[in-house]
Amino acid sequence: MASRKSGRQRKSLWSQTGPTLRLLFGAFAIAAIGLLGLTPKTLFGLSIAWPYAALWGAIGWGRVGLSIRPMVILIVFGLIQDISFNAPLGCFVIVNLIVYGLSAAIAETFDVMNEPLVAVVSPVLLFIAGFLVLWLLASSLEDHAVRATPLFAAFLTTGLIYALGHKVFDLGRAPGQSAGQGA
């Protein structure tokens, strides 16, 4: 009985939280995963595919429409990813903003993000688009097709973790509120 009541309290607390605090909490989650990603990523001698956490924000935050604050945060995270992965400056910024824009376009086009089919299919398609853009950028910068296996492993890890924690990146657009006003 107590767990049901605390579950309702948590749910109501999150639903009462405004978009700014939700955005900051999501940014903190992305930063924490990103910092952990700077440590060695092996477990019992096996390499762990680390998620590209900024894509979580790009997909989740895009669901309320285009807004400056999420874009600025995604640019900052993209620049940090560029530096930590030794990529040319702007590569991950491009990936993050393309996925964010596509997420906002899907949300505006369908405007039924709680529909199960759209809620499941759109993130999958957005992750595919993000990793495809990343692979194309990496391949064009290397002048040959880079191996897709590490990207596919990161794609699976990123998608599975997003499926479990996608509510963290929901900025909470109210029903009937036009896209872009939530953030």
Side-chain angles (χ1 to χ4, degrees):
M1 180 76 147
S3 65
R4 289 173 90 194
K5 189 173 185 179
S6 66
R8 278 188 248 146
Q9 286 175 336
R10 266 189 261 128
K11 186 175 180 182
S12 66
L13 179 64
W14 185 250
S15 66
Q16 293 174 357
T17 305
T20 301
L21 287 177
R22 289 178 178 213
L23 182 67
L24 291 174
F25 187 80
F28 175 77
I30 292 170
I33 295 296
L35 285 174
L36 286 173
L38 296 176
T39 61
K41 297 176 284 274
T42 57
L43 183 65
F44 303 116
L46 298 173
S47 182
I48 298 172
W50 203 251
Y52 291 0
L55 288 179
W56 300 334
I59 291 172
W61 298 335
R63 292 175 61 164
V64 298
L66 297 177
S67 184
I68 294 295
R69 294 181 293 169
M71 282 191 247
V72 169
I73 292 171
L74 289 171
I75 289 170
V76 169
F77 282 137
L79 291 172
I80 291 169
Q81 286 174 298
D82 290 336
I83 292 168
S84 64
F85 289 121
N86 292 323
L89 285 180
C91 287
F92 281 97
V93 173
I94 291 169
V95 172
N96 292 344
L97 292 180
I98 285 175
V99 171
Y100 178 72
L102 288 173
S103 178
I106 289 173
E108 186 174 325
T109 301
F110 294 106
D111 201 29
V112 286
M113 295 309 287
N114 291 331
E115 184 70 32
L117 184 63
V118 175
V120 172
V121 172
S122 67
V124 170
L125 292 176
L126 290 167
F127 281 125
I128 290 170
F131 280 93
L132 181 63
V133 170
L134 185 60
W135 180 80
L136 288 171
L137 282 171
S139 294
S140 66
L141 290 171
E142 290 292 322
D143 290 332
H144 62 83
V146 297
R147 287 185 24 190
T149 307
L151 280 178
F152 185 72
F155 162 76
L156 289 177
T157 305
T158 305
L160 289 174
I161 294 174
Y162 180 79
L164 296 173
H166 64 91
K167 291 288 186 187
V168 172
F169 303 99
D170 180 12
L171 295 181
R173 181 173 75 181
Q177 183 181 20
S178 64
Q181 286 183 336

